[in-house]
Amino acid sequence: MAKIPSGINGPVVGSIGNVVGSSWKGIPYLKKKYKKRKKQVTQKELGNRSKFGDGQRWLQPILYFLQTGFRKPGEKIAGFLAAKAYLSHNAWEGTGADMRINPALMKVSVGKLPLSKDLAVEKNEAGNLLFHLALLGVLVSVALGGLFGYKADRLLVQGQSFADTVSALDEWHPGRFVTAADLGPFTIKLNRFDASYIASGEQRGQPSAFDARVTYTEQPGGPARTFDLDVNRPLSVDGAKVYLIGHGYAPEFTVTDARGHVVYKQPTPFVAGASGNFLSEGVVKVPDAQPEQLGFTGVFVPTAVNVGGTLESVFPAADNPVVSLIAYAGNLGMDTGPSQSVYQLDTTAMHRLTTSPQVLQRGQSLKLPDGRGTITFTGYVPWVSLAITHDPGQLPALICGIAALGGLLLSFMIRRRRVFVRARSGPSTESGTTVQVGGLARTDASGGFEAEFAALAAELRSAHEQAQQQAARHRHEGE
């Protein structure tokens, strides 16, 4: 029993008498029920079978090309079937045992675009292709790093530590698809920082060595490990790299207010200016002082020398450290208004306590007027500037860069060749098809192209003769 579920124009499901509804690759069709053949196969049928088999084998090497070339939008017939139909109706010549396929009469695609008359093949495209694909890979890798990577900076004073969180970082520049949850849970502590400088000669004052000894943990509660962080030796932790990019001095101050209470006791990072030899500037903010908040602007001089009444640093190492301070009292403005920089002091609502800068050596104190308190310069500790980067496209970019270099070398090593092939059918069936082969050496300083071209032409001739013999053999077997 048969059914037509989609209406009179739809496919048939089931059987009607000796007719069966079926489908092939989604294409519905009708076929006759199988019935064992009793009659003997005729010579004509054998010839058709041989013709069908030869055509199938002749087209098989370019199966996938034909599936695209003969596919027509809106038609349900498969491209390869359409190609076999075209071959059967147009490209066979002769009769009986003399039947053969004329390649000049066969098409490999149909459409309105003009067909190519010649075929050109160029050797040495592998190097160029590899080079350009590798360059594309470099661009994709850079985009990958920009989308899924991040960069951050952190100033870390000796003896202090931080965790890789947004709130603990001084600057954070995430990629488009990076959130705070993507940061690694590692922590880093700066145990010691040592800097050495050349003490004499023309290069006096130039750095000779930097070394930052850090302790880090990859996750909370994990084992603590030590690492010597150098300028060209970054720390790799949890998929990120930590680089040492700078350093400076953090003078240590102790501040007491009018009540005699210690309201500030910590190192304060000062930032080196453009004058050289780490002459550094910074501020000290004391919001807990009473009865008024206190603030100080200062200059740290590592190796101080008085030149005409002005303090100058003559060497980057801290051989004779001093600070020069100016004191202020009033409202620091930290409780209201916009956020402030830790390296700047807003003196809008403050009044100056000292008429001139006060120079303090290590261990010396400055008493503020009217009993407002004291500030003591107790010493200094170094600080380092760390750059934290996570770039998932770094390794792919390196691999693609090496591949691009390999493709460039390959294009230089392989001698460039260009071969042209043209096939033209003769005026009659007996004259066959004429195949013309030409070659051109783009670069042939070392010679040898003539022998290479002759070998290629012989290979093409041999392949053509083998195809003819195979087709003739199949026809004889069919007879």
Side-chain angles (χ1 to χ4, degrees), residues 116-123 125 416-424 434-442 449 452-454 456-458 460:
S116 176
K117 296 182 180 179
D118 301 318
L119 174 65
V121 179
E122 183 172 351
K123 185 180 178 181
E125 290 300 320
R416 304 185 67 179
R417 303 285 189 260
R418 181 170 290 181
V419 177
F420 305 89
V421 180
R422 174 182 296 169
R424 290 182 178 179
T434 301
V435 178
Q436 294 177 319
V437 182
L440 173 66
R442 303 292 299 275
F449 176 64
E452 186 177 353
F453 177 76
L456 177 61
L460 290 175

Side-chain angles (χ1 to χ4, degrees), residues 197-205 315:
Y197 303 92
I198 300 175
S200 61
E202 296 181 356
Q203 295 184 343
R204 184 179 186 275
F315 197 69

Side-chain angles (χ1 to χ4, degrees), residues 255-259 289-296 325-330 351-356 358 365-375:
V255 180
T256 58
D257 62 3
R259 301 168 299 174
Q290 295 293 335
E292 289 184 301
Q293 295 179 336
L294 300 176
F296 304 86
L325 299 175
I326 299 177
Y328 294 86
H351 56 93
R352 189 166 175 171
L353 298 180
T354 54
T355 57
S356 61
Q358 303 296 309
S365 300
L366 170 64
K367 290 186 178 181
L368 302 179
D370 302 326
R372 296 178 183 273
T374 61
I375 179 171

Side-chain angles (χ1 to χ4, degrees), residues 12 15 25 30 70 115 122 145 159-160 165 242 250 286 309 314 316 326 348 366 449 454 460 477:
V12 176
S15 60
K25 293 186 178 182
L30 297 176
F70 275 84
L115 297 177
E122 183 172 351
Q160 297 182 0
T165 60
V242 182
V286 190
V314 295
I326 299 177
T348 304
L366 170 64
F449 176 64
L460 290 175
E477 291 175 356

Side-chain angles (χ1 to χ4, degrees), residues 22-29 76-81:
S22 185
S23 65
W24 179 77
K25 293 186 178 182
I27 304 175
Y29 68 94
K76 294 184 177 181
I77 184 172
F80 188 62
L81 296 180

Side-chain angles (χ1 to χ4, degrees), residues 71-117:
R71 185 178 58 199
K72 294 182 179 180
E75 294 188 6
K76 294 184 177 181
I77 184 172
F80 188 62
L81 296 180
K84 287 198 296 184
Y86 186 91
L87 173 68
S88 177
H89 291 93
N90 298 277
W92 281 99
E93 294 181 339
T95 58
D98 296 329
M99 289 186 65
R100 67 181 183 88
I101 298 175
N102 186 351
L105 301 178
M106 180 57 192
K107 293 183 178 180
V108 293
S109 64
V110 293
K112 297 181 180 180
L113 294 176
L115 297 177
S116 176
K117 296 182 180 179

